[in-house]
Amino acid sequence: MLLSGLPDSVGDDEDITRVLRSSSHFTASYVKASAFMPANDEATSVFRHGAEPREDLWRIARELFGPDARIYGAAVCKVRCIREQRLEVVADEPPPRHANIIGWPMNVDPEMQRAQQKELALVIASRSTLMRTNE
Amino acid sequence: MSEPISIAVAGYVMALNLAMRTGSGVSAEAQAVRRSACALVDSLEKSITLFGPKSIVISEIHDLAADCIDPAWDGEEATAIYPIVVERAINFIRALPNDVRLPQVAADPDGALSLDWISSRTRVFSVSVGSTNRLAYAWIDGTDRGHAVARFDGTAIPGLIMDGIRQVEDGGDVAFRTA
């Protein structure tokens, strides 16, 4: 059991949330693949929470990024959706509820690696629900 | 997003107001402001005439790059978007045929600029412009999906990318697959 009270292993049916820190990462209706692309540490940071309760969602995001951080919204999807792309979601606390999407394709050719990762991110984004902070 | 467009439009309207104003302000400062506003309006109108909607996308690229000029712009591990990436993305936009809908722009955490054609939730074509002349691209089209890399010489859009954009945009019969 983790400090947050959540189990160590992340279940397939759990919701995970990717906080949207760029206004370029979503349209009026959809989440873009860029929102899920990994950074240089080859992990995508998420937290283990669903769309509801909404107040808790934004509170956790504020705790993660600080009270003054600009948060545009969140992309919510099931862990199963990530694993179907042969990626993994692993708990990574602290902070509480934090987890990482790992296992992104690696390639000696950086552009090919980016293309492989983008394909997976496109699928994940297409199966995610967009939550806006101003809703 | 529409924010940069609305800011650009608001700036244009403000400049137009200043340029058109025929009030009694005759001080040197007032005349200088009016001259500057006239020059700005002239420049904007020439730009839009020359490049049409492409100038708006190019403006969005500049705005996004400015937002991502520092590392960790996402509050995490993101790489800054470098000027060479901006230059390549702008060259790509300028090279697009005029009959193709222009893409949406997004910042990737690895420092690339993503140009996205989104027809629906499950029909998307995405080109990542990085710091080299090779472009990563990927698509989903219903249950079909794929990825590849193509070389961009700075002037002509690679054929497979053009086919992919048209496929997602038109839902047509253009076949495209990785080479």
Side-chain angles (χ1 to χ4, degrees):
Chain A
M1 189 73 80
L2 299 167
L3 286 173
S4 62
L6 292 169
D8 287 302
S9 64
V10 184
D12 280 353
D13 289 326
E14 282 190 49
D15 286 318
I16 54 164
T17 292
R18 171 73 170 161
V19 178
L20 303 177
R21 299 288 315 279
S22 170
S23 62
S24 74
H25 284 177
F26 57 92
T27 69
S29 311
Y30 307 128
V31 179
K32 294 190 196 173
S34 297
F36 282 99
M37 287 290 281
N40 290 333
D41 60 354
E42 296 305 327
T44 301
S45 179
V46 294
F47 62 90
R48 296 164 74 184
H49 193 281
E52 302 294 344
R54 199 71 58 91
E55 312 79 56
D56 289 352
L57 175 70
W58 303 134
R59 179 182 53 75
I60 293 167
R62 296 265 169 232
E63 285 172 2
L64 202 60
F65 292 102
D68 298 325
R70 186 148 193 198
I71 292 168
Y72 292 92
V76 180
C77 70
K78 290 284 183 196
V79 169
R80 176 177 288 106
C81 160
I82 306 292
R83 290 185 174 144
E84 283 171 355
Q85 307 313 312
R86 298 187 178 180
L87 300 174
E88 187 51 274
V89 181
V90 293
D92 182 39
E93 297 190 10
R97 292 179 173 273
H98 184 256
N100 282 321
I101 301 174
I102 60 170
W104 291 94
M106 304 289 282
N107 196 301
V108 290
D109 176 347
E111 277 75 31
M112 184 54 77
Q113 175 174 304
R114 183 178 284 150
Q116 291 169 327
Q117 293 176 347
K118 180 60 72 78
E119 180 188 329
L120 302 184
L122 281 169
V123 176
I124 295 167
S126 75
R127 296 179 188 173
S128 298
T129 303
L130 173 65
M131 317 299 298
R132 298 283 305 273
T133 47
N134 58 1
E135 281 179 354
Chain B
M1 302 305 295
S2 60
E3 196 173 353
I5 299 171
S6 60
I7 290 170
V9 170
Y12 174 75
V13 170
M14 189 183 293
L16 193 60
N17 274 334
L18 281 168
M20 301 282 285
R21 193 169 287 173
T22 55
S24 57
V26 291
S27 69
E29 290 84 1
Q31 288 178 13
V33 167
R34 198 169 299 137
R35 273 198 302 274
S36 296
C38 285
L40 178 62
V41 168
D42 189 43
S43 166
L44 278 169
E45 287 177 346
K46 276 180 184 162
S47 170
I48 290 169
T49 304
L50 279 174
F51 295 109
K54 288 183 180 178
S55 62
I56 294 172
V57 178
I58 290 168
S59 170
E60 288 176 355
I61 289 172
H62 283 302
D63 289 345
L64 189 54
D67 285 345
C68 304
I69 198 166
D70 294 318
W73 49 263
D74 61 348
E76 298 178 274
E77 307 282 335
T79 301
I81 292 177
Y82 294 117
I84 182 70
V85 175
V86 173
E87 186 184 330
R88 286 188 197 285
I90 289 172
N91 286 341
F92 187 94
I93 295 296
R94 286 186 175 144
L96 282 169
N98 288 331
D99 65 335
V100 170
R101 185 167 66 92
L102 292 169
Q104 299 193 27
V105 185
D108 281 349
D110 64 357
L113 277 168
S114 183
L115 306 175
D116 300 318
W117 284 261
I118 304 172
S119 288
S120 70
R121 180 185 291 275
T122 56
R123 179 175 277 183
V124 184
F125 191 90
S126 180
V127 177
S128 285
V129 183
S131 56
T132 76
N133 65 350
R134 296 174 70 241
L135 305 176
Y137 63 98
W139 71 89
I140 54 169
D141 188 358
T143 56
D144 186 21
R145 53 194 265 190
H147 65 267
V149 174
R151 199 171 294 277
F152 175 51
D153 63 8
T155 54
I157 306 292
L160 285 172
I161 289 183
M162 210 56 251
D163 288 348
I165 293 168
R166 291 197 191 281
Q167 169 83 8
V168 163
E169 285 293 284
D170 305 336
D173 297 326
V174 182
F176 70 98
R177 293 289 186 276
T178 51

